[in-house]
Amino acid sequence: WYQRRVREAVVSTQSTGYMSLILKQLFTTFIMGGSLTGPITRGNALQGRSQAMKGVSEVHAVNKNRMFPPFPEGTKSAVFGMGCFWGVERSFWKIKGVYSTQVGYAGGFTENPTYSETCTAETGHAEVVRVIFHPDQVTFSALLKNFWEKHDPTTKDRQGNDAGPMYRSAIYCTDEAQLEIAQKSAAVFQQNLKDRGVTREISTEIKIDPVFYYAEDYHQQYLHKDPGGYCSMKGTGVTCTL
């Protein structure tokens, strides 16, 4: 976690206030146990901006497919939060049938947030990966299997050393059909955990929320650009029987 923060302090050129925002996030996470303002709502979240993130490449660094709509006819999308989005994105771009992946922010209130703003825990957003996939080549259930097995959905607002609501476990669905499948998969994996002696409850946020904001370009396909970069992904060791 600290390795990631040091790396981000070096590579980020977004704002002269970046380090103060990171120090604020450290304080709220470890001293206050969350946001300085309490639960984040639309009324108290950071305001954000109407302008979308600039400078994001239009071409996926790994598979050379599109990063922005329009995507190929027949493709679908789903958004997953599993902690630090660097390793999460890599786990999905490796899956056959996935057309493209993009890292970003979702589930909160701030319009077009930056990374440094999200790190304050005052946007309401989680770090996420949007997966664009061909449903005739890979099912939504197969993506969910990757989701459940590659992180620990029982640790609320934390994955490994990464702590805070931006690292929460989340599935943001595009429609009712996805929502039903995701909710049923959670029940399946909860039973899988119980069968292996894990008594902790799944804390994953599951809801319909198609709004996705792109993260900065240097975050996109980060572990392809820096294969030795920070990755906090660690599952429970339990197989999901979807």
Side-chain angles (χ1 to χ4, degrees), residues 35-92:
S35 169
L36 287 173
T37 57
I40 298 301
T41 65
R42 191 172 298 280
N44 65 14
L46 296 179
Q47 184 174 1
R49 59 205 50 79
S50 59
Q51 187 177 53
M53 184 69 66
K54 291 183 176 180
V56 178
S57 173
E58 295 185 0
V59 179
H60 196 280
V62 178
N63 60 32
K64 310 307 178 186
N65 289 332
R66 294 182 62 89
M67 287 281 288
F68 289 85
F71 297 116
E73 185 177 355
T75 56
K76 294 185 177 297
S77 69
V79 174
F80 302 97
M82 301 162 59
C84 172
F85 47 25
W86 292 346
V88 177
E89 184 183 22
R90 180 171 61 182
S91 77
F92 282 106

